[in-house]
Amino acid sequence: MAMGLVCLAWGQFDPGQPVPKAFPDRAALAYVVAAFMVAAGAAIEWRRTAARAAAALAAYYALIVVVLLNGRVVLAHPSEYGAYSGAAEQLAIAAGALIVYAAKARIDPALAARLTRAGQLAFGVCALLFGGAHFVYMNLTVPLVPKWLPPSQVFWAYATGAAHIAAGLAILTGVRARLAAILLTVMFAAFTPLVHIPLLLADPSGFTTWTENALNLALTGAAWVVADSLARPGRKPLAPNIPPSRGKGHA
């Protein structure tokens, strides 16, 4: 919803949704897409509409944003790491939406489990790419760290990159996966007051700073969804929302 509201206010596409400049009626389409994100984000908050809204968001982000839009960027710049990490930001949102759909839709439990695992694996790969971006673009990562944060900006640039990679490996392998996803959620949440809000205060009229704040909020939510979908120690994951049996003797 935050991303959609920002795009509505500026009448532009989110930078992570690189629609070609020459696309017909691009300006009008930007408003339509922004309205869709707001509506789908609102609908996912309601139990009766959560599954359909999550399915719509998962399909839009996976097929349109990741495959068609960011896929075009990757093909045009196959040697640039940023093309892959940028696509990963959008794929992570699709992964979170897929997991929400699996938990809320009235579908076969086995299918729900497969969809949930697919979302977890996709998010794990995204975390690896996020961590790699810290190292590849260390010159851009270091200045984002607050200067007052001990021991140094360089330390935290490397530490957060390593934390992303460790979390991604944990989610992919299932070793301490829930703990890793929880800590990743906390780290994403910490980025808002430490990095993104200061940038916003320094440039309150900048479209990019607003979209980066909204993106970080979405990634925090996606990481939280992944953490919640992973089994707690000694417990099974929450069961999907399946319809009651209508066999003889049941309501």
Side-chain angles (χ1 to χ4, degrees):
M1 289 178 66
M3 186 71 73
L5 290 172
V6 171
C7 293
L8 277 176
W10 266 266
Q12 298 184 37
F13 282 99
D14 166 43
Q17 302 176 24
V19 176
K21 297 287 186 180
F23 196 88
D25 297 319
R26 187 179 187 275
L29 183 60
Y31 282 106
V32 172
V33 170
F36 161 74
M37 288 192 288
V38 173
I44 211 169
E45 302 292 340
W46 299 90
R47 181 178 300 178
R48 295 180 63 180
T49 55
R52 283 174 287 181
L57 285 170
Y60 171 71
Y61 271 95
L63 300 178
I64 304 298
V65 178
V66 176
V67 175
L68 293 182
L69 299 180
N70 283 275
R72 180 180 61 87
V73 176
V74 170
L75 291 176
H77 306 280
S79 62
E80 293 186 14
Y81 191 92
Y84 300 94
S85 60
E89 291 175 343
Q90 310 304 312
L91 179 59
I93 299 175
L98 180 63
I99 293 172
V100 173
Y101 170 75
K104 298 298 182 181
R106 295 177 177 269
I107 58 178
D108 179 72
L111 175 59
R114 290 194 295 270
L115 292 177
T116 298
R117 188 54 184 157
Q120 293 168 351
L121 292 174
F123 191 86
V125 172
C126 293
L128 293 179
L129 289 169
F130 296 159
H134 280 229
F135 294 97
V136 173
Y137 301 109
M138 185 60 63
N139 62 317
L140 300 178
T141 304
V142 170
L144 296 175
V145 180
K147 294 181 179 180
W148 54 264
L149 197 63
S152 70
Q153 291 175 293
V154 173
F155 170 83
W156 286 110
Y158 278 107
T160 51
H164 278 98
I165 294 173
L169 291 174
I171 293 170
L172 291 173
T173 61
V175 178
R176 299 290 184 181
R178 179 176 169 78
L179 175 61
I182 291 173
L183 294 176
L184 189 61
T185 304
V186 173
M187 185 170 69
F188 282 153
F191 287 163
T192 293
L194 293 176
V195 177
H196 295 290
I197 289 181
L199 291 175
L200 186 61
L201 294 176
D203 183 21
S205 62
F207 175 64
T208 301
T209 54
W210 280 96
T211 56
E212 287 178 350
N213 269 271
L215 174 62
N216 189 66
L217 179 63
L219 292 177
T220 302
W224 197 341
V225 166
V226 172
D228 193 60
S229 70
L230 292 164
R232 296 176 177 84
R235 295 180 59 184
K236 294 181 179 180
L238 295 177
N241 185 16
I242 58 176
S245 171
R246 294 189 179 183
K248 185 177 180 180
H250 295 278

